[in-house]
Each structure stands twice: as C-alpha cells, then as structure tokens.
Amino acid sequence: MKKYCIFLAYFGRMPNYFPLFLRSCEKNPEFDFLILTDDKNKYAYPENVKVIYMTFTEIKEKIQEKFDFEISLKSAYKLCDYRVCFGYVFEDMVKDYEYWGYCDNDLIFGDMKKFFVEGYDKIFCLGHLMIFKNTYKNNRLFMHGDLYKKAFTASENVIFDECWNNRENIHDIFLKNNKRVYEADLSVNFKILSNKFIKITFQPETREFLEDKTECLYTWENGKVYRYYMKDGLVKEEYLYIHLQERKMRYKSSLGDVYKIVSNSFLPLEMPVNEKTFAKIKKSAFNLHLLQYHLKWKIRGLQKRLKGNVINLRLSFRTK
C-alpha cells in the first residue's frame, strides 16, 4: 500500500507559477498528487502528479451521485466545502493509500516527509493542506450530524473544510468524535490584507492567528522552505510549505532550484545567506496586492448582483 495522496481540485486557469508548485511536488516523491481540473494547458507534470481531466459539471455530477438530497454547487469556489468528502466520493482513487488529503494551488511545498506526523486521524486545521487517515469511518465522519447537509445545500461557501472565525467545520466533527487530531501550524502562511509579507500562525486553542512582522527572507532551496531572520544572530527555520494567499506573483521559467520569494515575485537568490549577507539581500518589493484583492472581490460581487438581476428579470417576464 502507498502512503499518501493529495487532491488538488481546481477549475479554470492555473496560476502562472504553477510550474513551481509542480516542481515542489516532484521533490516529494513519497506523495502522489491527484489533480482534478479542466485546465488542459501543457505543463511538465512529474511522475508523482496524476491529472484527471474533467469539467466542473462532471465533478458536480460525481459528488451529487453520492447524496440523496440536492447539493448546491454553482461555482468552483464553493467546491472548497466539498473537499472533506473526497475520500468518500473518490473512494476508488484513494483505496491504495494510507492517508489522503487536499490542498490549494497557491502553495510551494518544502520537505513534506520530514514534517509529516503519523498516528492521527486528521492532520492540520487549515484548508490549504488537510490530511486524513484513510479509513472507512474517517472518510464518512463528515456526515456525522446535520452540519454537512447545511454546508452542501448553502449557496455560499460556508468554510466547512477548515477552521475559520469559530464556524463549525470538519475539525469540530473530528474533535467531538474523540478522533486523534494534529493541530500545529507548520506553514509559512501570509496575511491576506497586507501588501507586505506578514507571517500569521494559527493558534488552535483560540482559533486566532498570531501575526509576526519580523523582517524575514523566504527561500526555496532544493525542495526545502526556509525562513531567515536576525535575532541575536542569523536564525534559519524550516517549514512544511509556504502559502501565498492568492497573490499575483511574477516568475521566470529559467528560475533554478534555489530562489527567494518576495511579496510579488520569485527571484534568484543573489548570494548565499549568512549574517554578513542577510542585510544586503532584497526581501520585499512594491506591489498592489491589496488593491488587486479588493478589486477582485468587488468584481465578483458585481457579477453576482448582475446575475441575480438577470434572473429576477427573467422571472418577471415569465409571470407577465
């Protein structure tokens, strides 16, 4: 039996730096990545990345087949709520693995095997990477109670797949059923509402995020994610992955296996990192992330209102 498989379900065009995501997958040969997508652009997929092409309608139909009530799945974003049921819906795909999970595509993985913790029924709290022990009961535990029905029939994303703002979610279900849950946050996760990189760390006890505004250098070095900063000398920390929080990033395909990650770009590392060179290495860049983020959600809101107005207009004509 194989050890681990991770689902990535994404419909639409992958981010421009998707090749770097794939390269970080390739550096983790113990993990298989199963990508469910309609993006048929040509990428250099490594051997441990399996692509299953399907349309958004097809995945919706596949999920609907497993439930005796009508699900609400009108957008790709809403699909996040359904990731908790992938081990149940795609049981044939995960049957040969000890663990299965799901992830986002705005990640760069480090050394996953080094940080992986076994012996738990559920590993991690946040939706960018969530992993489950592959058992019959675990794969159906999301159906404990009525919470999943509320999530699967709601038109909006209710964030059922991760801990957020004290909403009830899959994490609560596992805890209430006395399952072994690993809650430590091993990621470099950035605050969304900031142009600069501000590291935020999830605190499972309070379900809040601890902000760290320390000036840091973030790198990917031959399959490992590092964070450097000065505190009584140079500190070097290794992490499981880096989460870019939907940022628009620049990168060149010629980038090698050692690079730095600044707030809007993947760039070559100018020099080896040590106490003397740390201050010389550029760690940030001007960007419009915050403006772009707000603009994106305003456009989505406008599109939703326009769609609603069109539907109402059609209904008004039908009733005349």
Side-chain angles (χ1 to χ4, degrees), residues 5 22 55 62 85 107 113 183 210 237 258 285 307 318:
C5 75
L22 292 177
T55 65
K62 181 74 173 175
C85 71
L107 309 180
K113 185 65 181 298
E183 298 182 292
L210 180 65
E237 298 174 341
V258 176
K307 185 177 180 181
R318 288 179 185 176

Side-chain angles (χ1 to χ4, degrees), residues 183-294:
E183 298 182 292
D185 184 356
L186 306 181
S187 69
V188 171
N189 184 26
F190 294 123
K191 184 176 181 179
I192 295 179
L193 300 180
S194 172
N195 286 326
K196 297 181 179 180
F197 276 168
I198 297 178
K199 184 180 180 296
I200 54 175
T201 304
F202 184 71
Q203 309 295 301
E205 301 83 5
T206 60
R207 298 202 176 185
E208 296 176 344
F209 288 88
L210 180 65
E211 292 188 11
D212 185 346
K213 297 182 180 181
T214 305
E215 183 185 42
C216 297
L217 170 66
Y218 297 97
T219 68
W220 190 79
E221 303 177 32
N222 296 301
K224 296 180 181 292
V225 168
Y226 292 116
R227 175 190 189 225
Y228 297 89
Y229 60 93
M230 296 297 294
K231 184 178 180 181
D232 300 324
L234 183 67
V235 178
K236 178 181 181 180
E237 298 174 341
E238 186 176 356
Y239 288 88
L240 173 59
Y241 63 91
I242 193 165
H243 181 214
L244 294 162
Q245 292 280 26
E246 303 180 39
R247 287 175 178 264
K248 301 290 185 181
M249 300 289 289
R250 301 172 185 170
Y251 108 101
K252 294 182 178 180
S253 57
S254 59
L255 204 61
D257 277 344
V258 176
Y259 57 81
K260 66 179 181 180
I261 306 169
V262 299
S263 49
N264 69 347
S265 305
F266 300 92
L267 297 169
L269 187 60
E270 305 97 312
M271 59 192 76
V273 187
N274 55 51
E275 290 192 20
K276 293 182 179 180
T277 62
F278 180 80
K280 300 177 182 179
I281 299 173
K282 187 178 179 182
K283 306 169 193 64
S284 62
F286 174 77
N287 67 88
L288 300 173
H289 163 71
L290 201 52
L291 177 62
Q292 293 168 336
Y293 181 82
H294 285 304

Side-chain angles (χ1 to χ4, degrees), residues 73 76-84 102 104 157 160-161:
L73 185 49
Y77 183 63
K78 172 65 178 175
L79 189 59
C80 291
D81 280 334
Y82 292 89
R83 297 190 295 180
V84 299
Y102 49 81
D104 293 343
N157 187 340
F160 184 44
D161 63 320

Side-chain angles (χ1 to χ4, degrees), residues 9-13 36-39 54-57 59 76 79:
Y10 192 83
F11 293 84
R13 183 68 182 264
L36 314 177
T37 187
D38 59 357
D39 185 351
M54 61 175 64
T55 65
F56 181 69
T57 298
I59 193 172
L79 189 59

